[in-house]
Amino acid sequence: MRSAKTYVLVPGAGGSAWYWHRLVPELRRLGQEAVAVDLPAADDAAGLREYSDTIVLAASDHRDVVLVAQSMGGLSAPLACDRLSVTELVLVNAMIPAPGETGGDWWAATGQEQARRELDVREGRSPDAPFDPLVTFFHDVPPDVTAEAMTVEPAQSGTPFEEPWPLSAWPDVPTRVLSGRADRLFPVDFQARIARERLGLTPEVLPGGHLVALSRPEELAARLVK
């Protein structure tokens, strides 16, 4: 019988626990516990340390924790590993920072923009079109979920992007990388290169775009709990 763990779910930019609302019941259906974290994304006084403190506070009563980090969550979730009983860190379409690198510098340092432009060209979109979240993020999310998401405009302070990533090395915990095959922000081949270069890992590819917890919660839950 599969042992139960607690999946602590760290969102990306905007910091809303709502992002995980379709995944939480799927994890529980598989006999697991799930804790969706709300980060202080709108607070300009909150940086990476405050984000990691929030994660620790949300998970401090749990053991056998699997930390799951979406997108920007890759900056803060690793910082909580030394203060929790973490059995695994799972990066889902996530930023993978290097020691001393700011989140703001990450984009150019990794070549994300060039990778995004090349994918747009390959798939027939104009790489110079104005940013449209419906195209980049919600292209594979169900219409009703997209409509609900559009009712709230999540704020994201720039403070966490201005701080050098403080760890001298990646945490010494088992790490997996999950990449959405249809991610238009962090193309899957881009994610594979960064995971290989920075962690020596090969991502597991699954269906879905950047917001895979909204578009493919059943598949994501199955991959997390495998």
Side-chain angles (χ1 to χ4, degrees), residues 15 20 30 43 48 56 84 103 149 158 169-170 209:
W20 303 106
L30 295 175
D43 185 355
L48 293 176
V56 170
L84 294 171
W170 196 255

Side-chain angles (χ1 to χ4, degrees), residues 13 28 34 39 61 84 111 118 167 170 177 186 201:
R28 291 176 176 162
L39 295 174
D61 292 336
L84 294 171
E118 290 173 356
L167 299 186
W170 196 255
V177 179
F186 300 161
L201 297 175

Side-chain angles (χ1 to χ4, degrees), residues 154-183:
Q156 177 57 60
S157 167
T159 300
F161 289 100
E162 298 166 359
E163 301 176 344
W165 198 64
L167 299 186
S168 59
W170 196 255
D172 185 20
V173 297
T175 301
R176 280 195 289 151
V177 179
L178 303 184
S179 300
R181 184 178 292 110
D183 193 330

Side-chain angles (χ1 to χ4, degrees), residues 205-223:
V205 179
L206 68 163
H210 193 67
L211 304 182
V212 65
L214 293 178
S215 63
R216 303 277 189 152
E218 292 184 19
E219 290 96 328
L220 179 55
R223 196 68 65 95

Side-chain angles (χ1 to χ4, degrees), residues 42-121:
D43 185 355
D44 285 333
L48 293 176
R49 179 69 186 189
E50 287 74 24
Y51 281 39
S52 64
D53 288 347
T54 302
I55 296 166
V56 170
L57 183 62
S60 58
D61 292 336
H62 299 274
R63 298 194 60 79
D64 293 328
V65 166
V66 178
L67 269 180
V68 181
Q70 157 74 16
S71 195
M72 181 192 170
L75 300 179
S76 58
L79 308 184
C81 287
D82 64 347
R83 293 185 283 160
L84 294 171
S85 176
V86 177
T87 62
E88 187 177 38
L89 175 59
V90 185
L91 304 174
V92 182
N93 296 327
M95 299 172 73
I96 301 175
E101 179 181 75
T102 69
D105 289 339
W106 179 90
W107 306 86
T110 58
Q112 180 273 341
E113 174 64 10
Q114 183 62 30
R116 193 272 307 166
R117 292 179 65 86
E118 290 173 356
L119 178 68
D120 282 348
V121 171

Side-chain angles (χ1 to χ4, degrees), residues 23-37:
L23 179 66
V24 168
E26 294 299 331
L27 289 171
R28 291 176 176 162
R29 184 177 60 81
L30 295 175
Q32 309 299 305
E33 185 53 83
V35 176
V37 180

